[in-house]
Amino acid sequence: LPAGPDLRHFLRAAAAGQPGPSPALPPEPGSTPGAPKVYLETYGCQMNVSDTEIAWAILQKNGYARTKELAEADVVLLVTCSVREKAEQAIWNRLQHLKALKARRPQARAPLRVGILGCMAERLKEEILHREKLVDVVAGPDAYRDLPRLLAVAESGQQAANVLLSLDETYADILPVQTSAGGTTAFVSIMRGCDNMCSYCIVPFTRGRERSRPIASILQEVKMLSDQGVKEVTLLGQNVNSFRDLSEVQFQSVAAPGLSRGFSTVYKAKPGGLRFSHLLDRVSRIDPEMRIRFTSPHPKDFPDEASVLQLIQERHNICKQLHLPAQSGSTRVLEAMRRGYTREAYLELVHHVRDSIPGVSLSSDFIAGFCGETEEDHQQTVSLLREVRYNVGFLFAYSMRQKTRAHHRLQDDVPPEVKKRRLEQLIATFREEAARANAALVGQAQLVLVEGPSKRSASELCGRNDGNIKVIFPDTELEDAAERGAPGRAQPGDYVMVKVTSASSQTLRGVPLCRTTLSRAAASH
């Protein structure tokens, strides 16, 4: 998979139902001549990117080679998404293309094997196997260890499937093979599954119950990435701030943290274990020159003691950026969604976050046209977007998913054209407010982690600031604030201080001042 800005483009394309481009891959060390070649394609969220790396690590250990050329492949595996109907339709369309590829395959070669991995495999196993006879292997998110066996069964001409969900699988002992050689950023999965049971969400049914990786294995992976020169790690999970490592006996009787006023859960409080604040503390100490991000937290899991918020404020390498998925601005709709908070409680949390972390960048998710949403409900979401003024937003029209509580209990009664109009208004409002929020940064110096050349101009570089906003600036000779050597050009993985000269809803532009380090930049503030 591509690194840095290419990865973000890749994820956006995948979410829109397009596969990511096949990146140039380094030759696999020690790969056996004549080894079966696997081609992996990833759709959807960052968790699927992480899953792709886990699946590849397992296959590599079992004698497979990786190819970037679809025509060379003996095995094609699609890591799929089920969160919206559009994402699944992209897979059905892709399978038609693979069907033609399979039919054209020369008889002298072994038959092409096609596998569906991840959330869609979990949700639609029977339909995939019966509707598309060309699919040979179906593996759910907890069955990647079984891939070598499933592919061996497929070799004999039979279809093979494993969609068993696990209560304890975290792949803690498998160090993912980073697919972006020399990349500046990486994702590290810290937990799997979700227990929140929001009424619109398919994730608990496709990824199973919530379970956390042991902290020791996470620290080992982050240290390995640091040694490889990675400069930014994002800790990944469906609900990262409910992380709970139960692997160490002495912490199993620790009391459960209390919820803030106005927040609730559908499950009983879970005592025991080392919590997310402990993990964040330990991870941030590994490398003072490595930025740490995390996603996605749930608003209900920022307890009053605010230890996570305090860490973000205190540690120079934990990004001053928070994803606070609201989903709606209407208390009535939030209740139907089973989100566990009111509009008022959410806004109180936003004010608390901004008081605790001055200058924090906020992002959020919103759903337009959920079951029973009235025009008044929609306008309350519009007003929340205006009041909070997010820097980054992810907005989608509601797509009903089978198995969810909404599918069993609610009516998908907002017409498609109304959903479309409401979504367009939410996007327009978000962009207007994000442009205002970003305009406030004009004239300020921002520390930017360089990711590579700008897509639109080879004479410009692109990176992200602490708030995860894209920054573009000219690629010129720069003094190094940390050394008195000759000026040089910034490289991917370098930190550059940039003075912002203009802003839009999605991008900042500026002039580079100097190359520096994360620690030096923090000390000078």
Side-chain angles (χ1 to χ4, degrees), residues 323 362-366 385 390-396 430 434 506:
H323 188 61
L362 295 182
S363 58
S364 194
D365 301 333
F366 286 93
L385 281 164
Y390 300 95
N391 299 86
V392 178
F394 304 91
L395 303 98
F396 301 96
F430 158 71
Q506 293 177 296

Side-chain angles (χ1 to χ4, degrees), residues 260-263 299 302 304 309 324 341-356 384 387-388:
S260 295
R261 187 165 51 88
F263 290 84
F302 286 103
D304 283 333
L309 302 182
L324 290 179
Y341 51 84
T342 61
R343 174 194 175 97
E344 291 71 27
Y346 180 87
L347 281 170
E348 200 172 307
L349 173 62
V350 168
H351 296 145
H352 176 46
V353 166
R354 285 191 162 144
D355 287 344
S356 304
L384 186 73
E387 187 168 344
V388 176

Side-chain angles (χ1 to χ4, degrees), residues 188-361:
V188 173
S189 176
I190 66 168
M191 61 196 301
R192 300 180 74 81
C194 186
D195 288 349
N196 288 321
M197 303 299 289
C198 301
S199 62
Y200 55 83
C201 187
I202 192 68
V203 167
F205 303 96
T206 59
R207 287 191 168 268
R209 299 298 297 272
E210 198 171 278
R211 62 270 187 206
S212 302
R213 270 177 78 179
I215 284 179
S217 77
I218 298 167
L219 298 178
Q220 180 190 5
E221 185 176 341
V222 174
K223 176 69 168 63
M224 179 189 76
L225 292 169
S226 170
D227 292 343
Q228 291 173 1
V230 169
K231 290 296 180 68
E232 180 181 293
V233 159
T234 301
L235 305 178
L236 278 184
Q238 238 68 49
N239 187 175
V240 290
N241 52 343
S242 67
F243 177 88
R244 196 168 61 110
D245 172 14
L246 294 167
S247 64
E248 297 190 39
V249 176
Q250 67 268 37
F251 296 106
Q252 288 184 0
S253 59
V254 176
L259 296 174
S260 295
R261 187 165 51 88
F263 290 84
S264 62
T265 67
V266 297
Y267 53 80
K268 291 179 181 176
K270 300 173 185 176
L274 291 168
R275 301 285 169 163
F276 184 62
S277 58
H278 182 87
L279 172 66
L280 193 59
D281 173 34
R282 296 284 302 276
V283 167
S284 71
R285 293 175 187 271
I286 288 173
D287 182 350
E289 290 301 312
M290 177 189 271
R291 273 181 174 171
I292 309 299
R293 301 188 190 276
F294 57 87
T295 196
S296 286
H298 192 290
K300 75 178 188 322
D301 291 309
F302 286 103
D304 283 333
E305 63 262 27
S307 51
V308 168
L309 302 182
Q310 189 177 342
L311 274 172
I312 296 171
Q313 194 274 324
E314 288 176 356
R315 299 286 161 85
H316 75 274
N317 62 334
I318 304 179
C319 292
K320 311 297 180 274
Q321 174 241 330
L322 263 188
H323 188 61
L324 290 179
Q327 307 300 357
S328 174
S330 159
T331 293
R332 196 184 70 80
V333 173
L334 289 168
E335 187 176 350
M337 289 177 164
R338 301 179 94 201
R339 287 293 290 166
Y341 51 84
T342 61
R343 174 194 175 97
E344 291 71 27
Y346 180 87
L347 281 170
E348 200 172 307
L349 173 62
V350 168
H351 296 145
H352 176 46
V353 166
R354 285 191 162 144
D355 287 344
S356 304
I357 312 166
V360 67
S361 168

Side-chain angles (χ1 to χ4, degrees), residues 7 10-19 42-49 79-84 87 91:
L7 175 56
F10 173 90
L11 290 168
R12 280 198 297 274
Q18 305 158 14
T42 311
Y43 294 74
C45 70
Q46 291 102 320
M47 287 296 293
N48 282 359
V49 175
V79 184
T80 62
C81 173
S82 256
V83 74
R84 279 174 290 279
I91 302 299

Side-chain angles (χ1 to χ4, degrees), residues 10 32 42 68 89 185 259 307 340 359 405 418 444 449 475:
F10 173 90
T32 311
T42 311
K68 61 175 182 176
Q89 189 54 51
T185 64
L259 296 174
S307 51
R405 186 181 177 89
V418 175
Q444 293 185 22
L449 175 60
D475 181 6

Side-chain angles (χ1 to χ4, degrees), residues 430-449:
F430 158 71
R431 285 183 174 160
E432 192 180 316
E433 296 302 326
R436 288 192 178 121
N438 292 344
L441 299 174
V442 172
Q444 293 185 22
Q446 295 283 304
L447 184 65
V448 177
L449 175 60

Side-chain angles (χ1 to χ4, degrees), residues 7-63:
L7 175 56
R8 291 184 179 94
H9 166 75
F10 173 90
L11 290 168
R12 280 198 297 274
Q18 305 158 14
S22 295
L25 294 164
E28 301 304 339
S31 57
T32 311
K37 293 181 179 178
V38 62
Y39 178 92
L40 285 146
E41 211 165 73
T42 311
Y43 294 74
C45 70
Q46 291 102 320
M47 287 296 293
N48 282 359
V49 175
S50 176
D51 277 11
T52 301
E53 293 175 348
I54 289 167
W56 170 229
I58 291 165
L59 290 172
Q60 188 182 37
K61 280 186 178 174
N62 282 270

